[in-house]
Amino acid sequence: KQEVTQIPAALSVPEGENLVLNCSFTDSAIYNLQWFRQDPGKGLTSLLLIQSSQREQTSGRLNASLDKSSGRSTLYIAASQPGDSATYLCAVRGLTGGGNKLTFGTGTQLKVEL
Amino acid sequence: DAGVIQSPRHEVTEMGQEVTLRCKPISGHNSLFWYRQTMMRGLELLIYFNNNVPIDDSGMPEDRFSAKMPNASFSTLKIQPSEPRDSAVYFCASNQGSTVPNYGYTFGSGTRLTVV
């Protein structure tokens, strides 16, 4: 059974800092990995999608990497801003079980302070 | 594209009542998912459909929960009878996953259910 872990569970940083969020998964048989952002009381917004054959994806100040063989992904946020405060979730889509199921991590709650 | 549309946004009901949550996936998406999110358990997959057919309902907590997808543009999740422990945010998501394995997921805004 796929298990996804995110470290740290919570993070507080001053504005302007670069930061890294970590995600690890136990089963490397995946199609892809997706990073989401969730604001309090809101739904999930997709940030980046990395296919199993890719090493990284970039969007603006965000960069996500994937090391499938070691079961790890990182989300790098450059020059953090208060508007980046949210919970960040990673999710992997496994090859097994029909090949269309997302397993989520428990999330990292980020707070960027002025 | 209006995205994945869920209704209602909020639902407060009394224990024992029937609750029906609704979802309209993105047009052209052939897979639909129901997730439940709680503080204790995070996001859990309840059930998913490919081409309107339920594929995996192993996450449905018990017989009080049922889901249907009568056509490609509509799905319901029903709880009967509802209990306080069913209080959670229920998300619907869709993708083209059954035919395009590399496609990502799009989530709706969720339904916040409170059972008192």
CSV table of all heavy atoms in Angstrom, one decimal, chain B residues 11 15 24 29 33 35 41 59 76 79 115:
chain,number,residue,atom,x,y,z
B,11,GLU,N,-23.4,22.3,4.1
B,11,GLU,CA,-24.6,21.6,4.5
B,11,GLU,C,-24.6,21.3,6.0
B,11,GLU,O,-23.6,20.7,6.5
B,11,GLU,CB,-24.7,20.3,3.7
B,11,GLU,CG,-25.8,19.4,4.0
B,11,GLU,CD,-27.1,19.8,3.3
B,11,GLU,OE1,-27.0,20.4,2.2
B,11,GLU,OE2,-28.2,19.5,3.9
B,15,MET,N,-28.5,14.6,12.7
B,15,MET,CA,-28.2,13.2,12.7
B,15,MET,C,-29.4,12.4,12.3
B,15,MET,O,-30.6,12.7,12.7
B,15,MET,CB,-27.8,12.8,14.1
B,15,MET,CG,-27.4,11.3,14.3
B,15,MET,SD,-26.7,11.0,15.9
B,15,MET,CE,-28.1,11.3,16.9
B,24,LYS,N,-20.4,18.0,-10.6
B,24,LYS,CA,-20.4,18.1,-12.1
B,24,LYS,C,-18.9,18.1,-12.5
B,24,LYS,O,-18.2,19.1,-12.2
B,24,LYS,CB,-21.1,19.3,-12.6
B,24,LYS,CG,-21.0,19.5,-14.1
B,24,LYS,CD,-21.8,20.7,-14.6
B,24,LYS,CE,-21.6,21.1,-16.0
B,24,LYS,NZ,-21.9,20.0,-16.9
B,29,HIS,N,-13.7,15.0,-19.2
B,29,HIS,CA,-13.0,14.2,-18.3
B,29,HIS,C,-13.8,12.9,-18.1
B,29,HIS,O,-15.0,12.9,-18.0
B,29,HIS,CB,-12.9,14.9,-16.9
B,29,HIS,CG,-11.8,15.9,-16.9
B,29,HIS,ND1,-11.4,16.5,-15.8
B,29,HIS,CD2,-11.1,16.4,-17.9
B,29,HIS,CE1,-10.4,17.3,-16.1
B,29,HIS,NE2,-10.2,17.3,-17.4
B,33,PHE,N,-13.8,11.3,-9.0
B,33,PHE,CA,-13.4,10.8,-7.7
B,33,PHE,C,-14.1,11.6,-6.6
B,33,PHE,O,-14.3,12.8,-6.7
B,33,PHE,CB,-11.9,11.1,-7.5
B,33,PHE,CG,-11.0,10.6,-8.7
B,33,PHE,CD1,-10.9,11.3,-9.8
B,33,PHE,CD2,-10.4,9.4,-8.6
B,33,PHE,CE1,-10.1,10.9,-10.9
B,33,PHE,CE2,-9.6,8.9,-9.6
B,33,PHE,CZ,-9.5,9.7,-10.8
B,35,TYR,N,-13.5,12.4,-2.6
B,35,TYR,CA,-12.6,12.4,-1.5
B,35,TYR,C,-13.2,13.0,-0.2
B,35,TYR,O,-14.1,13.8,-0.3
B,35,TYR,CB,-11.3,13.2,-1.8
B,35,TYR,CG,-10.3,12.5,-2.6
B,35,TYR,CD1,-10.4,12.5,-4.0
B,35,TYR,CD2,-9.2,11.8,-2.1
B,35,TYR,CE1,-9.5,11.9,-4.8
B,35,TYR,CE2,-8.3,11.2,-2.9
B,35,TYR,CZ,-8.4,11.2,-4.3
B,35,TYR,OH,-7.5,10.6,-5.0
B,41,ARG,N,-7.6,12.4,9.6
B,41,ARG,CA,-7.2,11.4,8.6
B,41,ARG,C,-6.8,12.0,7.3
B,41,ARG,O,-6.4,11.3,6.4
B,41,ARG,CB,-8.4,10.5,8.3
B,41,ARG,CG,-8.9,9.7,9.6
B,41,ARG,CD,-10.1,8.9,9.3
B,41,ARG,NE,-9.9,7.8,8.4
B,41,ARG,CZ,-9.6,6.6,8.8
B,41,ARG,NH1,-9.5,6.3,10.1
B,41,ARG,NH2,-9.4,5.6,7.9
B,59,GLY,N,-12.8,2.6,-0.4
B,59,GLY,CA,-12.7,3.6,0.6
B,59,GLY,C,-14.1,4.1,1.2
B,59,GLY,O,-14.1,4.9,2.2
B,76,THR,N,-23.5,11.8,-7.7
B,76,THR,CA,-23.9,12.1,-6.4
B,76,THR,C,-23.3,11.2,-5.3
B,76,THR,O,-22.9,10.1,-5.6
B,76,THR,CB,-25.5,12.0,-6.2
B,76,THR,OG1,-25.8,10.6,-6.6
B,76,THR,CG2,-26.2,12.9,-7.1
B,79,ILE,N,-25.4,10.0,1.8
B,79,ILE,CA,-25.2,9.4,3.2
B,79,ILE,C,-26.6,9.3,3.8
B,79,ILE,O,-27.3,10.3,4.0
B,79,ILE,CB,-24.3,10.3,4.0
B,79,ILE,CG1,-23.0,10.7,3.3
B,79,ILE,CG2,-24.0,9.6,5.4
B,79,ILE,CD1,-22.2,11.7,4.1
B,115,VAL,N,-22.9,17.5,10.6
B,115,VAL,CA,-24.0,16.7,11.1
B,115,VAL,C,-24.1,16.9,12.6
B,115,VAL,O,-23.1,16.6,13.4
B,115,VAL,CB,-23.8,15.2,10.8
B,115,VAL,CG1,-25.1,14.4,11.2
B,115,VAL,CG2,-23.6,15.0,9.3
